[in-house]
Amino acid sequence: MTNASATTALIIGGGIAGPVTAAALARVGVAPIVHEAYAGPADQLGAFLTVAPNGLAALRAVGMLDRVRAAASFDTTRTEFVNGDGRRLGLLGDESRLPPELRSVTITRAALQRAVTDAAIEQGVDFEYAKRLRSYTDEGNQVTATFTDGTSATGDVLLGADGIQSAVRRTLSPDAPRPTYTGLLGIGGYVPAVDIPPTPHETVRMVFGARAFFGYQRAPDGRTFWFANLGHSERSREEIAAQGDETWRDHALELFDGDLPELTRIMEAADPGQFRPRGTYDLLSLPRWHRGRVGLLGDAAHAVSPSSGQGASLAFEDAVELARQVRVHGGAPAALAAYERVRRDRVERIAAEGRRRGARKAGSAHPIALAIRDASMRLAFAMIRRFGSQRWITDYRTDLADTHDDAEASSSIPGSRP
Ligand SMILES: Cc1cc2nc3c(=O)[nH]c(=O)nc-3n(C[C@H](O)[C@H](O)[C@H](O)COP(=O)(O)OP(=O)(O)OC[C@H]3O[C@@H](n4cnc5c(N)ncnc54)[C@H](O)[C@@H]3O)c2cc1C
């Protein structure tokens, strides 16, 4: 990879990180090909997520911001935290100081994947579907990927953007820790207009209920987007399916019985399928993100719990940072090493923060424990608001044109470059 214009990058995974990485690399002269296991963009899969200002800024750097904003369901610029009785614990995230195009949005995962894929195709990126990576061989001067359909592909560099269960990671680092179950199951989706008080303008309401956690926001079109996190022991997908959606629905309704009545009203309007939970997992730290000509990005490198609200945004930052390092260093091993050096501290801190946030969600049966929880959270949110102590997460900016070297990057705010 001495001449960037002659470099081909095999990108494994056409989810969220893959298309953005491909577009970012194309901008620095690399020829990327995305290999995705599914037969096409997974239009029916997943619920919704937030793209934060740091993620939107990274999308701007690769010319995808307008498309993603156009595909978003609505802006979510503030978060109101209440307890199960509806009493306010905190209000965070006034983004009025930011330019409108960088204010947080809520978007369905399907729409986000479609938007970044279409934008990448428009920018000349090739996609190969129904290509599930089995393993790869790094031959020193090139890398060969083999797929489960028996075909193979060769490139100068191979990048694993294949999600939390990454096959690339298994080959790159067989001893790497497995993703950790966070103790929470996630359910949710969207319901048509229901008779509930509207959420304040551009504000998602997060409810620390007595026994579980609930989030919802009313969309401008009248729908309500909702999710809930239920403390539960780990279950496999098969065990979850075997229990039946109706049983999960009853369980969720029971957990929120006695909390704000609108939570029950939202769930009563939801399809049974929205109650089939997904386990939530994270991956706080890997021994390595790269080896030779192979590297990891997005959830493959550092899965953050959904409680951080940063999974997609960090993947976009990764994509831009890697391309920036290719521009600076020209060669695959050096660029991958520099990329890991710049990214690791920041994403590990955010992953740890996501785990801390998730730990407060399970609730408690005991009223005194709940009163202590509420008091400590009121204090914590007041401190965050007063000192802006979460801004290091969302104020981070990276850009392809940036020519900072690693020393400069790591000498600024920890995990951040202004
Ligand atoms: C189906 C699905 C639904 C999701 N729904 C939500 C949601 O509702 N809310 C939320 O916050 N997060 C959701 N996520 C996770 C979220 O997309 C990621 O946390 C984040 O956006 C980082 O994206 P990523 O591209 O690194 O990983 P992912 O979004 O997981 O994308 C990885 C891609 O790699 C592909 N892949 C996996 N293995 C292979 C292989 N061996 N060979 C080739 N391709 C492979 C996958 O099919 C997928 O397209 C979902 C992920 C998936 C895969």
Side-chain angles (χ1 to χ4, degrees):
M1 193 171 163
T2 46
N3 175 0
S5 64
T7 297
T8 51
L10 306 177
I11 295 176
I12 308 302
I16 304 300
V20 182
T21 303
L25 288 175
R27 284 174 175 250
V28 297
V30 175
I33 307 178
V34 178
H35 298 267
E36 163 59 39
Y38 279 103
D43 284 339
Q44 306 304 321
L45 296 175
F48 55 89
L49 41 81
T50 306
V51 186
N54 51 310
L56 293 167
L59 289 172
R60 183 171 61 184
V62 294
M64 293 186 175
L65 179 60
D66 290 348
R67 219 180 237 281
V68 169
R69 282 206 82 89
S73 299
F74 44 82
D75 288 6
T76 301
T77 58
R78 292 190 305 179
T79 308
E80 181 189 36
F81 298 93
V82 299
N83 68 8
D85 299 331
R87 258 173 265 165
R88 185 179 276 184
L89 304 173
L91 180 67
L92 295 183
D94 179 5
E95 296 184 357
S96 55
R97 68 201 162 81
L98 297 172
E101 72 273 16
L102 293 187
R103 295 181 192 160
S104 299
V105 291
T106 295
I107 184 168
T108 67
R109 185 187 178 277
L112 178 59
Q113 188 188 21
R114 176 61 75 179
V116 294
T117 300
D118 288 350
I121 290 170
E122 215 170 78
Q123 295 183 28
V125 173
D126 290 329
F127 283 73
E128 298 262 351
Y129 286 103
K131 292 288 173 194
R132 180 173 290 279
L133 182 91
R134 175 175 297 150
S135 66
Y136 69 80
T137 324
D138 186 343
E139 290 126 13
N141 57 350
Q142 60 178 23
V143 192
T144 300
T146 51
F147 301 100
T148 52
D149 64 0
T151 60
S152 62
T154 298
D156 299 295
V157 57
L158 182 142
L159 300 168
D162 51 345
I164 191 164
Q165 302 298 345
S166 170
V168 176
R169 187 175 67 229
R170 280 198 295 277
T171 305
L172 185 144
S173 189
D175 300 331
R178 301 266 158 219
T180 305
Y181 178 59
T182 63
L184 297 171
L185 295 174
I187 56 174
Y190 2 88
V191 296
V194 274
D195 181 22
I196 56 167
T199 42
H201 184 59
E202 294 182 0
T203 303
V204 60
R205 178 171 288 144
M206 302 288 198
V207 185
F208 285 91
R211 290 172 296 273
F213 184 86
F214 198 100
Y216 70 102
Q217 184 174 353
R218 217 158 77 190
D221 66 9
R223 289 182 300 166
T224 296
F225 284 48
W226 73 280
F227 72 93
N229 294 134
L230 321 176
H232 204 285
S233 52
E234 190 176 9
R235 292 283 183 272
S236 68
R237 272 191 197 181
E238 294 72 28
E239 287 168 333
I240 285 171
Q243 205 146 323
D245 297 345
E246 294 291 346
T247 310
W248 286 112
R249 180 177 182 273
D250 293 346
H251 179 58
L253 286 166
E254 194 182 307
L255 284 176
F256 290 104
D257 186 28
D259 286 334
L260 283 175
E262 44 264 47
L263 313 189
T264 301
R265 247 174 266 149
I266 293 167
M267 287 189 288
E268 281 173 348
D271 292 336
Q274 296 181 16
F275 294 91
R276 182 178 297 193
R278 280 166 62 116
T280 65
Y281 291 81
D282 64 16
L283 194 54
L284 292 192
S285 180
L286 285 180
R288 57 195 311 153
W289 293 16
H290 73 98
R291 188 192 292 271
R293 295 178 166 269
V294 181
L296 302 171
L297 298 103
D299 279 9
H302 49 68
V304 295
S305 126
S307 303
S308 73
Q310 280 286 325
S313 297
L314 290 182
F316 301 149
E317 289 181 6
D318 286 352
V320 174
E321 187 60 40
L322 178 62
R324 192 177 76 88
Q325 294 296 348
V326 168
R327 172 176 274 171
V328 171
H329 293 277
L336 288 167
Y339 149 79
E340 177 178 335
R341 261 199 310 279
V342 171
R343 298 293 297 147
R344 182 183 272 279
D345 176 59
R346 171 170 168 78
V347 300
E348 289 186 355
R349 286 180 68 202
I350 293 174
E353 173 66 21
R355 188 176 282 188
R356 270 194 297 277
R357 288 185 196 176
R360 300 185 201 119
K361 287 179 165 180
S364 161
H366 203 289
I368 294 176
L370 289 177
I372 294 170
R373 177 198 71 179
D374 289 358
S376 71
M377 286 209 297
R378 259 192 205 101
L379 184 65
F381 289 131
M383 301 291 276
I384 292 169
R385 199 174 159 85
R386 173 123 199 239
F387 298 110
S389 50
Q390 298 286 325
R391 284 205 190 153
W392 65 274
I393 298 177
T394 51
D395 282 5
Y396 183 94
R397 300 289 179 265
T398 187
D399 198 288
L400 287 175
D402 186 341
T403 51
H404 289 217
D405 63 21
D406 299 351
E408 239 179 301
S410 56
S411 68
S412 60
I413 303 166
S416 170
R417 285 186 292 116

